């Protein structure tokens, strides 16, 4: 029965994990689509403008110098190269749906020369035009591609044939085609990694294309990871002057990441949450390794999978209504798992003795309490996000940003410990008590908007209090205007008095300043900051202080670090020094000091090389290797086959040493021809 329960739990966890990840994946895709929308709209409008000039060509236009300029979009995508493929795929879909079916994506590794470039270009373009209603024509295009020479003239002839064919379709078909693509659609050539292309290939292609631009509506898109100046570095002025370049800048990867975190983590929409250490690992990999949003999302996916794989109670990591239903069908073993949770044990210890006994012995009563605790956890997340955003409104505008400029930094600080006990929080409060009135009013208005749009139901009184503060600030402003009028009239009176009375008045003002009596504005400002402080202390309690947080929070940062932030040299040393660690073969188990002859040859060679100095004598190394390998045969080995065995052992040794050289542990030495130099030290 227990095994049946376990298998049911496993299936349910798998289904829950899959459905949750599908939701998160579709949300991330939608976010990325929205973030790229503006960039793609600008690109399409540029293509439209460039294409309209080609369609309106006249004799005068073709005679002008501009007729030789190729419209070129310089698309600066940033150094997060691993994200570029996704951007280009989205761009391809947008262009194919709205602009043209003739798109070619070129990479430097496929285009070492102009001939390879033309072959790749024509191969992609000729496969682009697919007429679903006439498969015979498609076959003709495929066959003709193999027969023709890959030249610009052939490309122009192909373009003229396919556009004429499109124009001569039936009126019904023509209407459906024109709804998607423009008339005589342009040919878009995308250089995905422009920095990697050789100068000669780019020059030749641009010069040849510019001579035929009046026959072929060609548009270039340069994918740039570094800076637009690379165009002028790669191309001389005589070639770059043939391009009509317009610059397009994609959203920075940091802004992209902030949006992803905001929509995926700082929301009550998804029940799964990342612990502080796990989130810090993912952010550090992003900031210090690759700036890749895609890799961050893959790390997030790995966290989801690991959580559902290792946590049996993750069946409750779903929407609140579904989680409550699942609580009712929990088995006794699952109830015991809940009782073993550290957070639940703390909760039990804080209860009265009668209630403690009921929680530890009665499953039905336990289930009722679990439902209440899950609801409390859900409400906590709703309130946490709203108050966190409110606090970020204040801290993000303070000088030197004691609690960080980004909301993710503030979120990590709140998850790590009670943020109000940190020095950074104290300094933030001190700085907030010195804010001017206009900034303070603006922040309060933004906080009101946050709480009004919040899904939390406890913030009605909070909104009323914030609006009351805003009303008091308005009253102070009105009073300040009246006082200003009074002070102006009193200044006029002072001008009429003699020097003695003037000195007396100034001394009184000086004394009042020394007493440091707070003004009404200062007192109100203190009240506002204290009110925000009270919200923080009530609602920004760290997640690990909440009961049952283990069900929805993934905290095993070491697993994530192992998989995502790998140390290849340590892994290599472990594999070669102790192959059992990875292969799990009992025969490979060995004592720490000895070298077994049952391990792979490269492991024997590696262990022997660890015992050597800077230079290794190959003959001595071979003899030691032969001794280890022959140890299994013992003294009664067949003498007749010894020569043959030596040849085999020699061959095995050469292969193992070559593999070790390939891995970078040794290299040939110029000092002595029969020696190799060791390259690594320290045992790993």
């Amino acid at each position: 029965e227990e095994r049946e329960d376990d298998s049911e739990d496993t299936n349910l966890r798998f289904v829950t994990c899959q459905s949750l990840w599908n939701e998160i994946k579709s949300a991330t895709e939608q976010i990325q689509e929205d973030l790229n929308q503006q960039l793609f709209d600008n690109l399409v409008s540029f293509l439209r403008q460039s294409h309209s000039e080609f369609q309106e060509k006249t004799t005068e236009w073709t005679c002008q110098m501009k007729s030789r300029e190729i419209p070129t979009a310089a698309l600066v995508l940033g150094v997060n190269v691993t994200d570029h493929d996704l951007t280009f795929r989205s761009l391809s879909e947008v262009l194919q749906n709205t602009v043209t079916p003739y798109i070619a994506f070129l990479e430097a590794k496929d285009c070492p020369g102009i001939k390879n470039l033309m072959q790749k270009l024509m191969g992609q373009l000729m496969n682009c035009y697919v007429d679903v209603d006439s498969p015979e024509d498609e076959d003709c295009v495929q066959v003709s591609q193999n027969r023709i020479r890959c030249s610009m003239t052939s490309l122009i002839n192909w373009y003229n044939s396919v556009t004429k064919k499109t124009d001569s379709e039936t009126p019904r078909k023509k209407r459906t085609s024109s709804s998607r693509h423009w008339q005589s659609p342009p040919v878009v050539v995308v250089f995905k990694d422009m920095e990697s292309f050789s100068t000669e290939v780019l020059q030749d292609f641009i010069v040849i294309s510019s001579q035929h631009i009046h026959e072929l509506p060609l548009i270039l898109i340069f994918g740039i990871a570094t800076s637009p100046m690379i165009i002028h570095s790669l191309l001389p002025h005589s070639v770059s002057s043939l391009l009509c370049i317009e610059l397009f800048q994609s959203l920075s990867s940091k802004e992209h990441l902030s949006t992803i975190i905001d929509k995926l983590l700082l929301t009550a929409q998804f029940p799964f949450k990342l612990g502080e250490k796990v989130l810090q690992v993912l952010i550090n990999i992003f900031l210090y390794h690759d700036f890749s949003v895609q890799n961050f999302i893959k790390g997030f996916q790995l966290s989801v999978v690991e959580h559902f794989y290792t946590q049996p109670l993750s069946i409750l990591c779903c929407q609140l209504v579904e989680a409550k239903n699942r609580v009712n069908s929990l088995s006794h073993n699952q109830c015991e798992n809940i009782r073993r949770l550290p957070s639940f044990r703390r909760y039990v210890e804080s209860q009265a003795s009668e209630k403690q006994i009921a929680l530890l012995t009665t499953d039905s009563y336990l289930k009722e309490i679990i439902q209440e605790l899950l609801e409390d956890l859900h409400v906590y997340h709703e309130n946490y996000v709203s108050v966190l955003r409110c606090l970020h409104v204040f801290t993000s505008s303070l000088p030197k940003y004691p609690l960080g400029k980004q909301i993710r930094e503030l979120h990590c600080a709140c998850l790590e410990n009670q943020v109000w006990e940190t020095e950074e929080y104290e300094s933030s409060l001190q700085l907030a008590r010195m804010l001017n009135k206009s900034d303070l009013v603006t922040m309060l208005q933004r906080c009101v908007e946050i709480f009004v749009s919040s899904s939390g139901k406890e913030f009605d009184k909070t909104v009323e209090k914030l609006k009351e503060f805003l009303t008091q600030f308005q009253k102070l402003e009105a009073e300040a205007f009246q006082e200003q009028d009074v002070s102006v009239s009193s200044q006029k009176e002072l001008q009429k008095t003699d020097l003695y009375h003037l000195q007396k008045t100034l001394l009184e003002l000086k004394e009042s300043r020394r007493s440091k009596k707070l003004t009404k504005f200062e007192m109100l400002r203190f009240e506002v900051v204290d009110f925000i402080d009270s919200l923080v202390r009530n609602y920004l309690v760290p997640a690990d202080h909440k009961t049952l947080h283990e069900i929805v929070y993934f905290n095993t940062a070491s697993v994530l670090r192992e998989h995502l932030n790998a140390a290849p040299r340590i892994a290599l040393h472990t594999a070669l020094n102790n192959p059992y660690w990875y292969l799990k073969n009992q025969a490979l188990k060995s004592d720490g000091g000895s070298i077994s002859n049952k391990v792979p040859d490269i492991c024997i060679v590696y262990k022997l090389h660890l015992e050597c100095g800077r230079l290794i004598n190959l003959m001595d190394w071979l003899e030691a290797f032969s001794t280890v390998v022959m140890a299994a045969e013992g003294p009664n080995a067949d003498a007749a086959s010894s020569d043959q065995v030596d040849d085999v052992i020699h061959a095995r040794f050469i292969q193992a040493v070559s593999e070790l050289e390939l891995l970078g542990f040794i290299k040939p030495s110029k000092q002595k021809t029969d020696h190799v130099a060791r390259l690594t030290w320290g045992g790993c």
Side-chain angles (χ1 to χ4, degrees):
E1 288 180 5
E2 286 182 14
R3 286 180 181 177
E4 286 178 10
D5 289 344
D6 288 345
S7 63
E8 283 178 16
D9 288 352
T10 306
N11 292 333
L12 186 57
R13 275 153 63 190
F14 176 74
V15 171
T16 309
C17 175
Q18 206 169 30
S19 65
L20 174 64
W21 178 248
N22 288 337
E23 285 178 35
I24 294 171
K25 187 181 177 185
S26 60
T28 55
E29 287 170 355
Q30 187 60 49
I31 291 165
Q32 289 164 336
E33 190 179 320
D34 294 342
L35 291 174
N36 287 327
Q37 189 64 47
Q38 185 64 46
L39 175 68
F40 292 162
D41 289 347
N42 293 342
L43 264 173
V44 169
S45 64
F46 168 73
L47 296 176
R48 183 180 286 111
Q49 182 185 350
S50 305
H51 188 246
S52 64
E53 290 175 357
F54 175 81
Q55 282 189 317
E56 294 164 8
K57 62 186 177 193
T58 60
T59 310
E60 294 78 14
W61 186 81
T62 50
C63 290
Q64 290 173 357
M65 189 63 189
K66 194 176 180 183
S67 65
R68 293 189 63 202
E69 288 186 358
I70 307 170
T72 305
L75 186 55
V76 182
L77 295 171
V79 293
N80 50 323
V81 180
T82 46
D83 294 342
H84 292 186
D85 279 339
L86 182 68
T87 306
F88 283 127
R89 279 202 298 273
S90 304
L91 176 62
S92 175
E93 287 175 13
V94 169
L95 296 182
Q96 284 181 339
N97 290 334
T98 58
V99 179
T100 176
Y102 313 127
I103 306 167
F105 288 89
L106 303 177
E107 292 184 79
K109 64 180 182 182
D110 301 324
C111 307
I114 186 67
K115 183 180 177 182
N116 308 93
L117 188 148
M118 291 303 296
Q119 284 176 345
K120 197 77 181 172
L121 175 63
M122 294 188 71
Q124 286 193 39
L125 288 176
M126 289 183 175
N127 289 333
C128 284
Y129 182 71
V130 178
D131 189 350
V132 180
D133 296 336
S134 53
E136 297 86 1
D137 295 339
E138 183 191 338
D139 294 337
C140 294
V141 172
Q142 296 290 339
V143 172
S144 64
Q145 176 204 334
N146 296 326
R147 292 178 181 173
I148 59 175
R149 281 186 68 231
C150 292
S151 65
M152 193 59 73
T153 308
S154 307
L155 187 61
I156 292 166
N157 293 336
W158 166 81
Y159 180 78
N160 290 334
S161 66
V162 293
T163 48
K164 280 178 185 174
K165 183 177 166 185
T166 308
D167 292 342
S168 61
E169 289 173 345
T170 59
R172 179 191 60 79
K173 200 169 181 184
K174 190 170 180 180
R175 276 197 302 275
T176 55
S177 174
S178 62
S179 65
R180 286 182 66 219
H181 302 133
W182 302 339
Q183 190 178 0
S184 301
V187 175
V188 179
V189 181
V190 182
F191 293 84
K192 293 174 76 172
D193 49 347
M194 191 205 174
E195 289 96 338
S196 303
F197 277 85
S198 69
T199 306
E200 293 77 14
V201 172
L202 286 173
Q203 283 186 38
D204 292 346
F205 180 72
I206 291 167
V207 170
I208 294 167
S209 301
S210 68
Q211 293 169 356
H212 298 88
I213 192 66
H214 57 282
E215 302 171 86
L216 182 71
L218 191 69
I219 297 174
L220 306 182
I221 297 178
F222 290 152
I224 298 171
T226 52
S227 162
M229 291 304 294
I230 193 69
I231 297 174
H232 303 289
S233 302
L234 286 174
L235 304 174
H237 177 70
S238 58
V239 178
S240 62
S241 61
L242 299 174
L243 303 174
C244 178
I245 302 172
E246 189 162 331
L247 184 65
F248 296 90
Q249 179 79 49
S250 72
L251 199 68
S252 77
S253 54
K254 281 188 178 181
E255 292 174 30
H256 201 147
L257 178 72
S258 297
T259 310
I260 292 287
I261 289 175
D262 192 57
K263 302 289 185 185
L264 293 187
L265 300 181
L266 303 181
T267 175
Q269 181 185 352
F270 303 111
F272 176 77
K273 306 292 177 186
L274 292 179
E276 183 269 332
K277 289 180 181 176
V278 172
L279 181 57
Q280 203 61 61
V281 166
L282 291 178
I283 290 173
N284 286 344
I285 291 172
F286 174 86
L287 291 176
Y288 300 118
H289 286 78
D290 53 15
F291 283 108
S292 172
V293 177
Q294 288 307 302
N295 287 349
F296 180 88
I297 293 169
K298 285 176 184 174
F300 188 74
Q301 182 181 11
L302 179 62
S303 303
V304 173
V305 172
E306 277 290 333
H307 179 68
F308 279 87
Y309 178 70
T310 56
Q311 176 56 268
L313 295 171
S314 56
I315 54 167
L316 301 178
C317 184
C318 54
Q319 297 301 330
L320 181 61
V321 177
E322 179 64 24
K324 283 185 173 182
N325 291 334
R326 290 182 182 182
V327 167
N328 292 324
S329 57
L330 288 177
S331 65
H332 177 69
N333 287 335
Q334 289 167 327
C335 290
E336 287 300 316
N337 285 336
I338 288 174
R339 291 183 178 112
R340 282 192 285 267
L341 291 177
S343 64
F344 187 77
R345 287 163 70 180
R346 285 199 303 268
Y347 172 77
V348 171
E349 287 166 7
S350 66
Q351 303 301 311
S353 57
E354 292 177 3
K355 199 171 181 182
Q356 284 183 3
I357 294 167
L359 285 169
L360 295 174
T361 56
T362 313
D363 286 353
S364 57
Y365 180 67
L366 175 70
K367 290 175 183 179
E368 290 176 18
I369 298 299
I370 289 170
Q371 288 179 335
E372 292 175 13
L373 292 173
L374 286 174
E375 189 163 355
D376 290 345
L377 195 62
H378 180 74
V379 171
Y380 159 76
H381 286 135
E382 287 183 338
N383 297 340
Y384 175 91
V385 171
S386 301
V387 177
L388 184 77
R389 293 188 194 283
C390 177
L391 179 61
H392 181 248
V393 167
F394 279 83
T395 58
S396 61
S397 57
L398 298 176
K400 295 186 179 178
Y401 312 108
L403 284 170
K405 188 177 182 181
Q406 302 288 341
I407 195 168
R408 63 169 181 263
E409 297 169 89
L410 183 61
H411 178 50
C412 286
C414 293
L415 286 177
E416 188 177 6
N417 47 37
Q418 294 177 335
V419 70
W420 55 87
E421 293 180 354
T422 61
E423 292 178 12
E424 292 83 5
Y425 182 78
E426 284 300 323
S427 59
S428 296
L429 285 188
Q430 289 174 6
L431 290 168
R433 291 189 181 106
M434 292 186 280
L435 289 168
N436 61 50
K437 186 165 63 179
S438 61
D439 287 347
L440 207 54
V441 168
T442 307
M443 289 173 186
L444 286 174
Q445 287 169 344
R446 286 175 62 189
C447 288
V448 168
E449 291 171 9
I450 289 167
F451 286 125
V452 167
S453 61
S454 166
S455 55
K457 299 171 184 175
E458 300 180 13
F459 294 123
D460 293 340
K461 291 182 179 178
T462 306
V463 171
E464 285 177 18
K465 186 69 175 174
L466 292 174
K467 285 181 177 177
E468 186 184 321
F469 283 136
L470 287 170
T471 309
Q472 288 177 332
F473 276 118
Q474 287 173 355
K475 286 180 181 177
L476 281 178
E477 200 170 349
E479 289 174 10
F481 278 122
Q482 291 176 359
E483 288 176 7
Q484 195 173 1
D485 294 339
V486 171
S487 64
V488 168
S489 62
S490 64
Q491 280 176 6
K492 288 179 181 177
E493 290 175 7
L494 282 172
Q495 287 171 3
K496 296 174 185 177
T497 59
D498 55 11
L499 184 62
Y500 169 75
H501 285 95
L502 180 61
Q503 285 177 335
K504 187 179 178 183
T505 310
L506 289 172
L507 284 169
E508 286 173 0
L509 285 169
K510 192 175 180 181
E511 285 298 323
S512 66
R513 281 176 187 165
R514 277 181 184 172
S515 64
K516 291 184 180 178
K517 189 177 180 182
L518 293 174
T519 63
K520 288 182 180 178
F521 165 70
E522 287 171 337
M523 290 169 68
L524 186 56
R525 182 170 60 187
F526 270 65
E527 281 184 43
V528 170
V529 174
D530 289 343
F531 180 71
I532 299 297
D533 180 41
S534 67
L535 288 176
V536 169
R537 290 170 186 270
N538 286 334
Y539 295 106
L540 295 190
V541 179
D544 57 10
H545 288 210
K546 304 301 290 184
T547 310
L548 302 184
H549 70 89
E550 296 95 340
I551 291 174
V552 294
Y553 277 86
F554 177 66
N555 291 301
T556 320
S558 56
V559 174
L560 211 60
R561 202 180 287 111
E562 243 177 63
H563 287 90
L564 300 180
N565 203 4
R569 189 171 161 188
I570 294 172
L572 272 176
H573 172 73
T574 306
L576 296 175
N577 198 44
N578 182 19
Y580 173 77
W581 178 264
Y582 290 106
L583 299 178
K584 302 299 180 189
N585 185 343
Q586 292 296 327
L588 299 179
K589 268 191 173 180
S590 63
D591 299 329
S594 62
I595 301 176
S596 169
N597 57 0
K598 294 177 182 178
V599 299
D601 291 345
I602 190 174
C603 298
I604 298 172
V605 169
Y606 177 77
K607 283 190 173 184
L608 290 171
H609 117 285
L610 290 177
E611 299 171 2
C612 300
R614 189 175 65 83
L615 290 176
I616 306 172
N617 187 310
L618 284 169
M619 196 61 205
D620 295 344
W621 202 3
L622 172 60
E623 287 178 3
F625 176 77
S626 178
T627 304
V628 172
V629 172
M630 296 288 286
E633 298 185 15
N636 300 323
D638 188 2
S641 62
S642 61
D643 292 339
Q644 185 182 353
V645 171
D646 285 345
D647 289 341
V648 172
I649 290 173
H650 197 182
R652 285 166 61 183
F653 174 74
I654 291 170
Q655 183 179 0
V657 169
S658 300
E659 289 171 354
L660 213 58
E661 183 182 352
L662 184 67
L663 291 173
F665 287 100
I666 57 170
K667 71 172 183 178
S669 172
K670 292 181 180 178
Q671 294 178 8
K672 296 180 181 179
T673 53
D674 60 342
H675 285 63
V676 291
R678 184 176 169 187
L679 298 176
T680 59
W681 304 93
C684 62

